[in-house]
Amino acid sequence: MRHVFPCGMPALDFVGTLQERRAPVPIERIGSPGLLDSWFVESGLLDERPGSDQTDLRAARDLREAIYALLSARLAVRPLPVAAVAAVNRQAAGVPVVMRLCPAGSSRSGAAAQALAELAREAVEIVAGGEAVLLRECGHPDCTHIYLDRSRGRRRQWCAMRTCGNRVKSAVLRARRRG
């Protein structure tokens, strides 16, 4: 499966693995241990599939929802939820991914728990860092991706122009032509 990475940071893209959160039936992009493994590799967190199991999948989904709760609180300028802070801190304290220098450059290896620890640490940096004020949610009505708006003028509206931006602009154009 090809996963999507419109947000530019693994922790933010990881939150986007549950798409259309406000829909009656959200779209789950890591519905199995195998899909979680492929996400880790495609995101660049690991070079090889770690062999995740159902426990890893539950931990990943729990972390994803904790990160989403923290990001949502930051977006709404609310206090951070205590349970989400504890969950992210617990994961962030884990063993990091192993990086090695090799003839081809570098390699990243580890278990699913190590990849989750990397995601949790990045989430801490985002939520607690100075760039938290740049957090935005995609302007497409069905999309719930959260990204950092580093654009000139801070006027970015979509997680990705090639997907959500094009859909919104096409819909506006179609409506204008009909009207």
Side-chain angles (χ1 to χ4, degrees), residues 5-179:
F5 302 92
C7 302
M9 298 186 81
L12 297 177
D13 288 318
F14 187 63
V15 168
T17 61
L18 184 64
Q19 294 178 316
E20 300 183 24
R21 288 174 176 273
R22 291 183 283 276
V25 181
I27 300 168
E28 178 61 73
R29 297 294 184 194
I30 54 168
S32 69
L35 288 172
L36 178 61
D37 281 353
S38 68
W39 192 91
F40 286 145
V41 172
E42 289 177 36
S43 71
L45 283 174
L46 297 171
D47 292 337
E48 294 182 15
R49 299 167 65 89
S52 300
D53 59 20
Q54 288 297 326
T55 302
D56 296 322
L57 183 59
R58 272 190 303 280
R61 288 178 174 172
D62 289 347
L63 177 62
R64 177 186 66 195
E65 296 313 304
I67 295 170
Y68 182 73
L70 296 175
L71 295 172
S72 295
R74 275 289 182 251
L75 284 167
V77 193
R78 291 188 322 258
L80 299 177
V82 175
V85 169
V88 169
N89 284 341
R90 197 170 31 257
Q91 286 285 357
V95 176
V97 166
V98 176
M99 291 206 52
R100 288 193 174 94
L101 194 57
C102 61
S106 66
S107 69
R108 300 174 61 84
S109 62
Q114 290 170 275
L116 294 175
E118 294 286 325
L119 290 169
R121 280 191 282 283
E122 185 176 75
V124 168
E125 289 176 10
I126 293 167
V127 171
E131 289 190 315
V133 298
L134 302 178
L135 287 168
R136 305 282 185 274
E137 186 173 52
C138 184
H140 188 282
D142 296 330
C143 185
T144 53
H145 278 284
I146 297 172
Y147 59 91
L148 290 172
D149 182 4
R150 294 182 177 130
S151 68
R152 179 185 278 191
R154 307 291 184 251
R155 286 185 255 170
R156 181 174 162 191
Q157 296 177 337
W158 304 288
C159 61
M161 185 61 200
R162 71 187 185 296
T163 54
C164 290
N166 280 340
R167 289 181 195 133
V168 170
K169 287 185 171 199
S170 295
V172 168
L173 181 63
R174 282 192 303 274
R176 195 177 309 142
R177 286 181 178 166
R178 275 188 298 235

